[in-house]
Amino acid sequence: MAIIKYLGHSAFEVVLTGLDGKEKTILIDPWLENPLSPVKVDDYKKKPIDYIFVTHDHGDHMGNAIEIAKATGAKIVGIFEVALYASEQGVDAVDGNIGGKLKIPDLEVVMTPALHSSQRGVPVGFVIRGKDISIYHAGDTGLFAEMSLIGELYSPDIVMLPIGGHYTMGVKEAVKAVHMIRPRIAIPMHYNTFPPIKTDPEKFKELVENTTTTKVVILKPGETLTYP
Ligand code: NI
Ligand code: MN
């Protein structure tokens, strides 16, 4: 079972069972000071966090990762250059690169490509698999044809896809991404935080659910999805 809490923008807290059977708490792209954030950074400094996944080095994704990792001892997982930066800041970091499974003992993690830019290294997405669920967080990305391989190889149960346009896929491209990945559930992200990425998630839901068996779960910041 997994509990996924949306923290606004591209930030999620996920509690899932690791491959070792123990509960893991992870954060993905924890920019907890985003305008829609329902939480305080300080609250997350007191939580037991195991891993913080950072998809790329833009402020709205790196966010509060370093300070939360410092306070909690969480390991930051990112592409080589992002992990190097994190370790230079005195944080425990796991580096890796796009390709095969990372050597993390309690989760199966794969970095996927993302079509975007980054201050350090290149942007990525993450497929994260625990004992009984797998999640694909696409990071910031445009649509790319290899998303169908992500569906084929890793069959993620849940995907988090950007839908806001301007900097990432918009609704039209994200619907196509769902067609290629075929997850059970799609959660839209990276929209309505600022005017340029204002978008109607209901449109995404309607277009996906009219053309696939995927269910779209629109989480308001602070809401959780329990799966299955
Ligand atoms: Ni970005
Ligand atoms: Mn972004």
Side-chain angles (χ1 to χ4, degrees):
M1 194 184 86
I3 300 168
I4 297 172
K5 183 173 187 180
Y6 185 42
L7 305 176
H9 203 56
S10 293
F12 291 87
E13 176 189 358
V14 181
V15 180
L16 75 175
T17 309
L19 300 173
D20 56 1
K22 292 183 187 149
E23 189 179 280
K24 310 287 164 191
T25 301
I26 66 175
L27 294 177
I28 309 172
D29 284 354
W31 181 38
L32 304 187
E33 289 164 316
N34 74 73
L36 305 177
S37 174
V39 297
K40 291 193 173 67
V41 180
D42 281 346
D43 296 340
Y44 278 81
K45 289 184 178 171
K46 294 172 206 142
K47 284 193 172 215
I49 313 274
D50 296 287
Y51 295 103
I52 300 174
F53 293 87
V54 177
T55 60
H56 64 294
D57 187 15
H58 280 160
D60 58 322
H61 297 261
M62 183 71 94
N64 307 99
I66 301 286
E67 54 182 309
I68 295 171
K70 274 187 182 166
T72 62
K75 288 186 170 67
I76 290 190
V77 184
I79 194 107
F80 178 81
E81 291 80 0
V82 167
L84 182 63
Y85 168 72
S87 40
E88 283 166 0
Q89 305 304 304
V91 166
D92 209 359
V94 179
D95 68 0
N97 220 309
I98 295 164
K101 215 164 72 162
L102 303 190
K103 299 285 185 294
I104 293 179
D106 41 9
L107 293 172
E108 188 176 307
V109 178
V110 173
M111 284 187 201
T112 63
L115 269 187
H116 193 66
S117 64
S118 180
Q119 298 281 113
R120 292 178 180 84
V122 298
V124 300
F126 288 103
V127 178
I128 303 164
R129 180 185 294 276
K131 199 161 176 256
D132 46 20
I133 188 176
S134 87
I135 291 166
Y136 168 46
H137 185 294
D140 275 1
T141 187
L143 182 68
F144 54 93
E146 292 79 5
M147 281 183 179
S148 59
L149 289 178
I150 294 171
E152 200 180 307
L153 286 171
Y154 311 117
S155 322
D157 301 299
I158 298 180
V159 301
M160 291 91 151
L161 296 173
I163 65 160
H166 196 82
Y167 300 109
T168 68
M169 293 190 286
V171 166
K172 179 178 180 159
E173 296 79 17
V175 170
K176 185 67 186 177
V178 173
H179 285 207
M180 289 195 283
I181 305 165
R182 299 273 168 183
R184 289 182 189 279
I185 292 175
I187 302 173
M189 64 177 182
H190 212 272
Y191 67 94
N192 288 358
T193 324
F194 328 103
I197 60 172
K198 199 166 163 38
T199 258
D200 181 8
E202 294 292 347
K203 188 78 201 161
F204 173 65
K205 183 176 171 73
E206 184 192 318
L207 290 169
V208 167
E209 293 186 350
N210 283 345
T211 53
T212 69
T213 54
T214 299
K215 190 172 167 232
V216 171
V217 176
I218 299 168
L219 294 175
K220 291 197 184 81
E223 285 185 345
T224 58
L225 163 69
T226 302
Y227 182 90

